[in-house]
Amino acid sequence: MGVRGILGRVSEWSVTNPTQSLTAVVAIVAMVGLIGVLRLTPDADTDKLFDTGSDAYAGTVELRDRFGDDAIVVLAQQDLRQLVLTDDIRQLLKLETCLSGNAPPDDPDFPEVCREIADLEATRVVFGPATFLNQTGSQAASFVTSAAGATLTDAQQAADRAAQRARRQGLSEVRQQELATEAFNDALGGAVGGFAELLAGLGEGGIPGLDNPEPVVFDSRLPEGTPKARFGYLFPSSEGALVSVRLQPNLSDDTRRRATELIRQATADEAFALAGGGSYEISGVPVVVEGLADELGSELFLLLGVALVVMAMTLIISFGPPLRLLPLFVALGAAAMAFGLLSIVGGSLTMASVAVLPVVIGLGVDYAIQLQSRFREAIAVGERPAAAAVIAAVRGGPVIATAALATAVGFMALVLSPIPMVREFALALVVGIIAALAIAVTAGLAALSLIDQRPAGRRWSPAGLVWPLPSARLAGGLSWLRRRVDGGRRRALSFGSASLATAISRPGIVLVAALLLAAGGWAASTRTEVVSDIDELVPADLPALQSVEALESATGVSGELDVIVRGEDVTTPEALSWMRDFKQRVLEQHGFAGRFPDCRAEGTDLCPGPALPDLVLADNPSQERIDGILEIVPEYFLQAMLSRPEAGEQVANLAFLIPVQPLDEQEALIEEIRAELDPPPGLSAEVVGLPVLAADANAELSGSRYWLTLVGLVAVGAVLMAVYRSPRRALVPLIPIALATGWSALVLALMGIALNPMSATLGVLVIAVTTEFSVILAARYHEERARGLSVGEALRVTYARTGAAVLISGITSIAGFGVLIASGITMLRDFGLVTVVDLSVALIGVMIVLPASLVWAEGGFRPLPVRRRRGRRPASPASKPSDAAA
């Protein structure tokens, strides 16, 4: 049994058992939709934006496992001298202790939120200035009390031995004392050399600590209050300090959200308040992700409301009774099925799946309109509603099913995208398309079969709605709008008639002009920019984004890029020397250079973060010296740079800080860093982190938009070949579909509109959506030709009957994408704008070029006559005088 037979059986049962059909469909939709409401949760995980199969992603996962998840950054905003030279540094130490989960449980100085943080056990490490100063001071004191005592005894014994040797040699007492002193100093210097080297790197002026922070924090060569550039990740400017809170990797969304909320509560607690007007600002990737997830939930309801209003107004104005709003209810059912099934298979509410809602509603309205149009045709020739519903399914169903199948397969090309968010977008759209078609041929036709048709001569009026209008003023307003729409429709029909006549009489001119325009668009698309800044992904007024901007303004940086170095032992002199040289070389190449480097200076694209070689200052340190320094460095400080498990490879982390910048510039920066990676034998190095994943994703999107478009076109062609088993029937509708990708690209280039990660898939969307327009019109044309009509007559009937329905369907589909313009998420808003422009151009182009393609095919695809000889009238492409006249 073919598609026609299956649809006939299904629709016949639906219209002969309308109550059961409607009840069953409503129950299924309600059940699946309810599952979606209960289980589908907002998910703004950044991993949805990246290729999770790449080496960079695997390295980033290893970075998180070794050193903790992406950091929540707390900016302590205050004059730095006030912060570190007063009791405020102890307030900051209390806050860092609280955030680390190490607050004493019964200490009244710590509020209840600190105990909640400790109980949650979500914090991996807190890397802050106060803890750094405190731990460094404690480690120094411990060294002096434990190691220095034994060292002094050993030094004194060496001095005594030297004095005894001098006496036996008969040297003078003065010379004996000199040799004893030299031996004492030699022994003491060798023992404390490692610690002295570490202190020299931190600063001069004694052992640093909370009571003596100046040697570490401030640069004595610069104006008072200027912090040292090498510790910019702790003291980024004279206006504040940074605390980085790294959470445990692989936390659940609820736990991560709770941890972020507790950190926000702690920074707002009076127990940690700073004197002199100081304040705390929270930012970082987890904070932005949380803010975006909150935005997604409200965004879905906003887009749903706008979509309902837009679609209802479109149907009221453009479509006549009966049940002019029935397509909207079909579409809502399809949307409920799409989101419900998405949640059942483990999907989540991402930025892309939010975009699915209005698009599925637009496409669902489209299929219902096509069936309803066939139903109205059958009613017009005297069929009863039940019979008309069966006729609509048998005649129009296979065509609409073919178009829907081709559209779904076109969208399925996006499943090959390397970006998970794009793949989820495609799958949800395909589910929505299938659900829309199934609901339209069952419940939709069943509802139509129950409705009595209005008298044929009755004109549209506001009272023709499916519910009463609340006021005469609203009815009058709709009547005025209807008159304007009717006027526009008449002008469109006039333009369409002229265009159709041109396509029939001069197909060569139409096709050559269309090809030239498309070729220009394809060429221009190579210069169209893909923009993926962070403000393109989230609402511009998102508080979390504003905190990122505040962080960048205060520090000159807003993100972290990491280079992980692996090996059996990453603490050898060779390894540390290479890491030091590599880091210095990369920093100098990207603006952090000169006598007084500054992260906030213009032209500085990279700043230093914590790195293991910073602890060893000697040019050629011995292994003994390195081991001694690593023993002295506080463990809490060391764990941000070095991972030494009991078994397996060691990993050192070289961190760099970067400002917010366009991803194309960020991509170039990362490639330049990768080019400098030349580790010695026994070591491997890789650039990882969120900035790397974002830049790589941007490059993949830019490249994949071309081959994904080609895959979508080939997939649609394969479906049409499988259905029609005729190259001509399958390939002729593809001509305007393929050309539409070029027309839309040309318009975007002329308008200067950039693409973002969603709109970079536009070629596939244009193919998928325009496939329906082209396939339905071509199928109706062949149906009329099979009835014996000439080429011209068949085209005229096709465009007079099905063309109007296709035009309305196109408008609803475009309106579905247009709803995204109302989104507060910049990426979705721009995606909606670009899609509306592209699909409008594609719809107009298909309506004009498809007739020319059909006429050309009727002539056996002979060479196109693009010139007209003077004094001669061109013959009809089908060699039938009546065709042109028709």
Side-chain angles (χ1 to χ4, degrees), residues 390-456:
V390 175
I391 292 172
V394 172
R395 293 181 180 175
V399 175
I400 298 169
T402 299
L405 177 61
T407 299
V409 171
F411 278 125
M412 283 296 289
L414 293 177
V415 175
L416 300 177
S417 172
I419 309 304
M421 184 175 69
V422 175
R423 296 198 294 267
E424 287 189 8
F425 176 68
L427 290 173
L429 278 178
V430 170
V431 171
I433 289 171
I434 296 173
L437 182 64
I439 295 172
V441 299
T442 53
L445 290 176
L448 287 174
S449 69
L450 295 173
I451 301 300
D452 290 333
Q453 175 65 20
R454 295 176 181 274

Side-chain angles (χ1 to χ4, degrees), residues 30-345:
M31 180 177 63
V32 176
L34 181 61
I35 292 175
V37 170
L38 295 177
R39 295 185 52 181
L40 201 61
T41 57
D43 181 8
D45 190 353
T46 53
D47 288 356
K48 299 286 185 181
L49 298 168
F50 309 133
D51 181 2
T52 54
S54 67
D55 292 339
Y57 181 80
T60 302
V61 171
E62 181 180 6
L63 174 74
R64 294 170 179 170
D65 291 340
R66 297 267 192 168
F67 301 103
D69 210 341
D70 301 306
I72 298 174
V73 180
V74 179
L75 172 62
Q77 294 177 301
Q78 191 180 43
D79 179 87
L80 192 57
R81 293 187 63 80
Q82 166 70 25
L83 180 63
V84 302
L85 299 180
T86 69
D87 283 343
D88 280 342
I89 192 64
R90 301 189 182 280
Q91 288 291 91
L92 187 59
L93 178 63
K94 284 174 54 181
L95 175 62
E96 293 173 19
T97 303
C98 174
L99 299 181
S100 67
N102 294 322
D106 300 323
D107 193 328
D109 289 340
F110 290 91
E112 177 63 28
V113 65
C114 298
R115 283 179 278 277
E116 295 183 41
I117 292 175
D119 292 341
L120 193 62
E121 297 183 342
T123 304
R124 176 71 167 267
V125 61
V126 173
F127 194 71
T131 309
F132 169 68
L133 289 170
N134 187 54
Q135 290 285 335
T136 302
S138 298
Q139 196 77 7
S142 175
F143 174 84
V144 170
T145 56
S146 62
T151 300
L152 289 172
T153 300
D154 293 340
Q156 186 61 54
Q157 291 175 354
D160 292 341
R161 287 193 298 269
Q164 291 174 4
R165 285 195 298 270
R167 282 195 298 273
R168 285 196 298 267
Q169 295 173 5
L171 299 178
S172 66
E173 292 186 3
V174 173
R175 184 55 180 161
Q176 292 175 26
Q177 184 62 39
E178 289 176 353
L179 292 174
T181 302
E182 289 176 6
F184 182 88
N185 289 337
D186 288 343
L188 186 62
V192 301
F195 188 69
E197 183 178 317
L198 178 62
L199 293 182
L202 297 175
E204 300 175 355
I207 296 176
L210 287 179
D211 297 323
N212 186 29
E214 291 186 84
V216 174
V217 180
F218 300 108
D219 194 328
S220 59
R221 302 168 300 171
L222 296 175
E224 186 177 5
T226 303
K228 291 181 177 179
R230 66 178 307 176
F231 292 116
Y233 46 87
L234 294 172
F235 311 102
S237 73
S238 59
E239 302 168 3
L242 291 179
V243 180
S244 296
V245 183
R246 289 190 175 274
L247 302 180
Q248 297 286 358
N250 304 319
L251 293 177
S252 67
D253 291 339
D254 290 341
T255 302
R256 186 181 293 106
R257 175 182 290 271
R258 180 58 179 163
T260 304
E261 179 57 33
L262 290 175
I263 292 172
R264 186 176 285 110
Q265 291 179 20
T267 57
D269 198 289
E270 288 296 324
F272 310 116
L274 300 174
S279 63
Y280 299 109
E281 182 80 32
I282 300 178
S283 65
V285 172
V287 178
V288 175
V289 167
E290 179 193 326
L292 182 55
D294 292 338
E295 189 76 13
L296 288 176
S298 59
E299 196 72 18
L300 186 66
F301 290 104
L302 169 66
L303 293 180
L304 175 61
V306 175
L308 291 177
V309 172
V310 170
M311 293 299 169
M313 294 299 296
T314 302
L315 291 172
I316 289 172
I317 295 169
S318 304
F319 210 52
L323 285 183
R324 55 169 51 88
L325 292 184
L326 177 61
L328 183 57
F329 294 113
V330 171
L332 284 175
M337 291 288 290
F339 280 90
L341 292 175
L342 180 64
S343 68
I344 290 174
V345 300

Side-chain angles (χ1 to χ4, degrees), residues 349-573:
L349 191 62
T350 65
M351 286 187 288
S353 55
V354 166
V356 166
L357 177 65
V359 176
V360 165
I361 289 178
L363 293 174
V365 167
D366 187 356
Y367 300 138
I369 285 176
Q370 294 297 331
L371 283 174
Q372 205 157 335
S373 176
R374 291 280 186 160
F375 173 83
R376 288 156 62 92
E377 286 184 27
I379 288 290
V381 297
E383 296 288 348
R384 295 170 59 87
V390 175
I391 292 172
V394 172
R395 293 181 180 175
V399 175
I400 298 169
T402 299
L405 177 61
T407 299
V409 171
F411 278 125
M412 283 296 289
L414 293 177
V415 175
L416 300 177
S417 172
I419 309 304
M421 184 175 69
V422 175
R423 296 198 294 267
E424 287 189 8
F425 176 68
L427 290 173
L429 278 178
V430 170
V431 171
I433 289 171
I434 296 173
L437 182 64
I439 295 172
V441 299
T442 53
L445 290 176
L448 287 174
S449 69
L450 295 173
I451 301 300
D452 290 333
Q453 175 65 20
R454 295 176 181 274
R458 185 168 182 176
R459 295 179 58 84
W460 182 92
S461 69
L465 299 171
V466 293
W467 57 71
L469 290 174
S471 70
R473 178 176 296 180
L474 179 57
L478 288 174
S479 296
W480 175 87
L481 186 58
R482 177 70 178 188
R483 288 194 298 271
R484 296 298 178 273
V485 171
D486 286 342
R489 181 180 295 172
R490 286 191 295 270
R491 289 189 292 273
L493 289 176
S494 177
F495 172 76
S497 298
S499 301
L500 184 60
T502 301
I504 294 174
S505 62
R506 299 179 179 87
I509 293 176
V510 172
L511 289 175
V512 170
L515 179 60
L516 291 176
L517 289 173
W522 293 326
S525 69
T526 61
R527 297 190 298 272
T528 302
E529 185 182 7
V530 179
V531 178
S532 303
D533 299 346
I534 189 171
D535 58 358
E536 297 292 336
L537 304 180
V538 301
D541 59 350
L542 191 69
L545 181 60
Q546 294 173 354
S547 69
V548 171
E549 294 171 349
L551 174 65
E552 183 184 18
S553 175
T555 66
V557 297
S558 62
E560 180 178 313
L561 181 151
D562 301 274
V563 175
I564 56 175
V565 181
R566 307 182 187 92
E568 290 186 7
D569 187 354
V570 296
T571 64
T572 63

Side-chain angles (χ1 to χ4, degrees), residues 494-728:
S494 177
F495 172 76
S497 298
S499 301
L500 184 60
T502 301
I504 294 174
S505 62
R506 299 179 179 87
I509 293 176
V510 172
L511 289 175
V512 170
L515 179 60
L516 291 176
L517 289 173
W522 293 326
S525 69
T526 61
R527 297 190 298 272
T528 302
E529 185 182 7
V530 179
V531 178
S532 303
D533 299 346
I534 189 171
D535 58 358
E536 297 292 336
L537 304 180
V538 301
D541 59 350
L542 191 69
L545 181 60
Q546 294 173 354
S547 69
V548 171
E549 294 171 349
L551 174 65
E552 183 184 18
S553 175
T555 66
V557 297
S558 62
E560 180 178 313
L561 181 151
D562 301 274
V563 175
I564 56 175
V565 181
R566 307 182 187 92
E568 290 186 7
D569 187 354
V570 296
T571 64
T572 63
E574 295 78 13
L576 289 177
S577 294
W578 176 82
M579 283 187 265
R580 182 194 60 201
D581 294 343
F582 165 78
K583 181 181 179 183
Q584 187 62 34
R585 185 170 65 251
V586 168
L587 287 173
E588 290 178 354
Q589 289 174 353
H590 295 92
F592 192 81
R595 186 179 180 190
F596 303 115
D598 186 355
C599 284
R600 295 187 296 175
E602 185 176 356
T604 302
D605 297 326
L606 210 58
C607 295
L612 191 61
D614 293 343
L615 303 177
V616 182
L617 300 181
D619 290 337
N620 296 295
S622 65
Q623 189 66 60
E624 183 180 2
R625 178 63 57 84
I626 293 171
D627 292 340
I629 292 174
L630 295 182
E631 288 295 327
I632 295 169
V633 176
E635 181 60 29
Y636 119 92
F637 184 72
L638 192 60
Q639 67 180 335
M641 313 174 204
L642 180 62
S643 171
R644 292 189 289 185
E646 294 182 0
E649 285 187 321
Q650 295 182 1
V651 176
N653 180 30
L654 308 180
F656 298 90
L657 306 180
I658 61 174
V660 170
Q661 56 186 202
L663 283 185
D664 55 345
E665 297 179 13
Q666 191 167 290
E667 181 184 353
L669 170 67
I670 291 167
E671 288 304 319
E672 291 171 4
I673 296 175
R674 283 172 170 160
E676 295 294 329
L677 290 176
D678 56 346
L683 298 180
S684 64
E686 183 179 2
V687 187
V688 299
L690 281 183
V692 179
L693 297 181
D696 287 351
N698 189 63
E700 289 177 331
L701 282 169
S702 298
S704 65
R705 62 191 176 108
Y706 301 110
W707 63 264
L708 282 178
T709 299
L710 181 60
V711 169
L713 190 62
V714 171
V716 169
V719 168
L720 296 182
M721 280 291 296
V723 172
Y724 293 128
R725 302 182 184 278
S726 165
R728 176 180 296 183

